[in-house]
Amino acid sequence: MQFATGCMGNKLVAKCNQSPMRNEEPRSFCPINMAVEVLGDTWTLLILRDMMFAGKRHFRDLLQCEERIASNILADRLRLLTLEKVITKSEDPTHKQKAIYSLTEKGIQLLPVLVQIRIWGAHHMGKIDAVSPAVKAFNRKLERGGPELWAQMMAELRATHLGR
Amino acid sequence: MQFATGCMGNKLVAKCNQSPMRNEEPRSFCPINMAVEVLGDTWTLLILRDMMFAGKRHFRDLLQCEERIASNILADRLRLLTLEKVITKSEDPTHKQKAIYSLTEKGIQLLPVLVQIRIWGAHHMGKIDAVSPAVKAFNRKLERGGPELWAQMMAELRATHLGR
DNA sequence: AGAACTGGTTGCAATTTGCAACCGGTTGCA
DNA sequence: TGCAACCGGTTGCAAATTGCAACCAGTTCT
């Protein structure tokens, strides 16, 4: 029990609203499939988006996402991402009850995936007038930037999430 | 009714085992979210994987994927992907009952997304000994290849799927 | 002291998934 | 010609997952 903040008798209970404990065999060992088994749902990538692009690292912040994720789903996804070592959870020194979620190196290396998804989405799904000029400009930058830009962004994430 | 092959009185019935007709508003207009609303489930990306990397274009072929997708789910996802214009469906001239699924330009431009997912999966989820040397070699090639390689692969897909 | 904020949990209804059986038409082969 | 195998699915049902809204016990702010 490394982080026994908060409520509820800490009885290792974990039944409600939770995806399987991820003990099961993967459906196959294809790398794409293994990745999809972690990322392939409606919320996980949005959580990572908010951590990467919006700098959100607290439960309450992540809960405020534009798409209105439910708190039980968020809790479950954070648990799974932690289990998969895409993120880690630690205490916030400034507030006994606050948890800080950080990207691991594994998580940071998802940035190119997110970037490509964003480029594709902006290109093919984007309602032009529904996005602010600033966002549009950043999309263009991402498209032009290429691997070097991603590397730079990943370096920044390493600085803030891994303290390097 | 453009393609009335097969069975069932064509009564436009569509109730069982189907995701919503996708008439609903998106949860938000964020490009990543809009993309995730199309791609964010456990099967869609695997179908696209098989179309892109394994050249599968028939229902029966796609049904044979390693992960054993159920036929009703496959039918539903193909319907959604068609609705989203990621793929198209057409008749096979050699066989009245065969449908050919083709990637659209929108679908082909998902290749970089799939490639990044594959790279990440191979890097971070891969059981080293569970993958053939040929696949491993191709993974390395993808990693080194960069945007130029993707462009080349996309050109090949255009040739076979769009007949250009 | 009380209000507001912290990271969640709980129960329940509604939706989605997965399974297995099945369907009617088409095609290849003997 | 006849029949088996193949074609793209559909159907009904049980099980799992999602979404909602209320709630909780500590902690911090005022």
Side-chain angles (χ1 to χ4, degrees):
Chain A
M1 185 73 10
Q2 3 69 314
F3 188 65
T5 206
C7 48
M8 238 32 231
N10 303 321
K11 294 186 307 176
L12 244 301
V13 280
K15 286 181 215 58
C16 175
N17 259 124
Q18 299 200 342
S19 308
M21 260 289 272
R22 192 138 296 306
N23 290 339
E24 301 128 21
E25 284 286 293
R27 297 178 295 186
S28 84
F29 292 94
C30 161
I32 294 183
N33 176 62
M34 309 261 297
V36 166
E37 287 196 36
V38 177
L39 309 172
D41 79 285
T42 13
W43 291 110
T44 302
L45 287 169
L46 296 185
I47 294 169
L48 292 169
R49 170 201 66 182
D50 284 350
M51 291 187 72
M52 287 188 187
F53 295 109
K56 297 185 183 175
R57 303 183 66 178
H58 296 289
F59 191 91
R60 232 62 179 196
D61 293 337
L62 290 163
L63 204 53
Q64 297 293 340
C65 77
E66 211 184 344
E67 294 84 8
R68 314 284 18 231
I69 188 172
S71 60
N72 53 343
I73 307 288
L74 176 58
D76 182 54
R77 293 308 182 277
L78 289 172
R79 184 182 62 86
L80 286 174
L81 285 171
T82 306
L83 223 58
E84 293 290 347
K85 302 189 190 306
V86 173
I87 62 176
T88 56
K89 180 179 173 180
S90 56
E91 296 185 44
D92 187 329
T94 72
H95 189 305
K96 274 184 194 166
Q97 221 173 3
K98 264 184 177 167
I100 298 190
Y101 291 97
S102 307
L103 293 162
T104 62
E105 179 61 29
K106 184 176 175 181
I108 291 169
Q109 289 189 18
L110 277 170
L111 183 109
V113 173
L114 271 286
V115 166
Q116 291 295 348
I117 290 175
R118 179 167 174 165
I119 290 172
W120 184 84
H123 236 243
H124 294 284
M125 308 292 297
K127 309 295 167 222
I128 306 106
D129 43 338
V131 179
S132 75
V135 170
K136 249 186 287 186
F138 191 57
N139 286 340
R140 261 199 303 280
K141 184 180 174 186
L142 282 177
E143 224 163 326
R144 295 184 209 284
E148 306 78 27
L149 176 60
W150 314 338
Q152 186 188 318
M153 295 174 67
M154 288 163 71
E156 280 171 37
L157 288 175
R158 271 179 210 111
T160 61
H161 287 256
L162 303 176
R164 290 182 193 158
Chain B
M1 188 56 40
Q2 8 63 314
F3 188 65
T5 208
C7 46
M8 240 29 232
N10 302 321
K11 293 186 308 177
L12 244 304
V13 279
K15 288 182 214 54
C16 176
N17 258 128
Q18 300 199 341
S19 309
M21 260 289 273
R22 195 142 292 310
N23 289 338
E24 302 128 21
E25 285 286 293
R27 297 177 295 185
S28 84
F29 291 95
C30 162
I32 293 183
N33 175 62
M34 309 261 297
V36 165
E37 288 196 36
V38 176
L39 309 171
D41 78 286
T42 13
W43 292 111
T44 302
L45 287 168
L46 296 185
I47 295 169
L48 292 169
R49 170 200 66 182
D50 284 350
M51 291 187 73
M52 286 187 188
F53 294 109
K56 297 186 184 174
R57 303 184 65 179
H58 296 290
F59 190 92
R60 230 64 178 195
D61 294 336
L62 291 163
L63 204 53
Q64 297 293 341
C65 78
E66 211 183 344
E67 294 84 7
R68 316 284 17 236
I69 187 173
S71 60
N72 53 345
I73 307 288
L74 176 58
D76 183 53
R77 293 306 182 276
L78 289 172
R79 184 182 62 85
L80 286 173
L81 285 171
T82 305
L83 222 58
E84 292 290 348
K85 302 190 191 309
V86 173
I87 62 177
T88 55
K89 180 179 175 180
S90 55
E91 295 186 45
D92 187 330
T94 73
H95 190 307
K96 275 185 193 165
Q97 223 172 2
K98 264 183 177 167
I100 298 188
Y101 291 96
S102 307
L103 293 163
T104 61
E105 178 62 28
K106 183 175 175 180
I108 290 169
Q109 290 190 17
L110 277 169
L111 183 110
V113 173
L114 271 286
V115 167
Q116 291 296 348
I117 290 175
R118 179 167 173 164
I119 290 173
W120 184 83
H123 234 247
H124 293 283
M125 308 292 298
K127 309 294 167 224
I128 306 105
D129 43 338
V131 179
S132 76
V135 170
K136 249 186 288 186
F138 191 57
N139 285 341
R140 261 198 305 280
K141 184 181 173 184
L142 282 178
E143 223 161 328
R144 293 183 209 285
E148 307 78 26
L149 176 60
W150 314 339
Q152 186 186 320
M153 296 174 65
M154 288 164 71
E156 281 171 36
L157 288 176
R158 272 177 209 112
T160 61
H161 287 255
L162 304 177
R164 292 181 192 157

